[in-house]
Amino acid sequence: MSYRRDTRRPADNWANRGMGFEGQLNDLHQYYKALARGWAVKQNLPMVVVNHDARGNLAKVTGRATVDYIACVGGRFVAFDAKDCAEARIELTRLEPHQLQDMIDIVRCGGQAFVLARFERKRCYLIPALAWAAAVAASKGGTPETIDGWTPSGRASIREKDLPSAWAIDDVDWIGGILRHGTDDHG
């Protein structure tokens, strides 16, 4: 694959975490769009400019964030949130409850939804939205529900070593992962 690999150094502060990861994803999306193999766009927070002065624009957030990306791959609607983790685990609180609900609604309507998690800024997994929801429920004391052969531990985080290898993808190539696995529910 000839899309640009991320050579930028990791973010220096909490506010800019994941920006290198998103840049890499955006490059991948341009590559696949040029090949007509997939289309994806980054969702932004809804905002309005409330003031403009010599220092720049002052904006106000007017709504809630949804998932990071929406896409169309193989004729199927796809939505996902991208999470870059410095460790080999991801906290379930990294996904807001309304974002998870949006993903569940998308799956119920026939689309695909997942969390694209990159562990230790190296290895990526497509964690199905329904698996994430099962992990959240189990962490709150619910009975663990098995999704795609995976049963959540009940912890407040998901450890990379506990994820099925079938959810692993090459680099950040989530589109290639979906195309290789067909139109699996990957809810």
Side-chain angles (χ1 to χ4, degrees), residues 10-78:
D12 293 322
N13 62 43
W14 185 255
N16 292 321
R17 71 193 182 284
M19 295 309 290
F21 187 37
E22 287 182 3
Q24 204 173 1
L25 287 169
N26 293 337
D27 290 344
L28 173 71
H29 298 157
Q30 288 177 357
Y31 174 75
Y32 273 113
K33 182 180 175 185
L35 297 176
R37 296 202 56 197
W39 173 89
V41 65
K42 171 84 168 104
Q43 296 293 98
N44 295 310
L45 277 171
M47 294 185 197
V48 295
V49 174
V50 293
N51 190 13
H52 180 76
D53 60 18
R55 292 177 291 170
N57 292 331
L58 176 62
K60 175 182 169 186
V61 175
T62 60
R64 66 181 177 90
T66 186
V67 294
D68 287 339
Y69 291 91
I70 59 169
C72 181
V73 178
R76 189 133 188 222
F77 181 80
V78 178

Side-chain angles (χ1 to χ4, degrees), residues 83-92 116-127 132 150-151 153 155-171:
K83 301 295 182 193
D84 196 15
C85 311
E87 300 176 17
R89 66 182 176 81
I90 183 169
E91 298 293 326
L92 294 171
L116 173 61
R118 183 167 75 169
F119 293 96
E120 298 178 313
R121 297 199 165 97
K122 297 175 188 167
R123 297 165 305 280
C124 293
Y125 289 78
L126 302 177
I127 303 172
W132 192 281
W150 178 75
T151 304
S153 66
R155 292 184 183 92
S157 63
I158 296 173
R159 298 182 308 182
E160 177 190 5
K161 71 179 187 174
D162 296 335
L163 293 173
S165 60
W167 294 354
I169 59 169
D170 298 330
D171 199 22

Side-chain angles (χ1 to χ4, degrees), residues 87-139:
E87 300 176 17
R89 66 182 176 81
I90 183 169
E91 298 293 326
L92 294 171
T93 57
R94 295 272 311 268
L95 190 66
E96 295 292 329
H98 68 271
Q99 292 173 307
L100 180 57
Q101 187 59 54
D102 288 348
M103 290 180 172
I104 292 168
D105 291 343
I106 288 164
V107 172
R108 285 186 181 146
C109 291
Q112 292 178 265
F114 54 86
V115 174
L116 173 61
R118 183 167 75 169
F119 293 96
E120 298 178 313
R121 297 199 165 97
K122 297 175 188 167
R123 297 165 305 280
C124 293
Y125 289 78
L126 302 177
I127 303 172
L130 298 181
W132 192 281
V136 169
S139 75

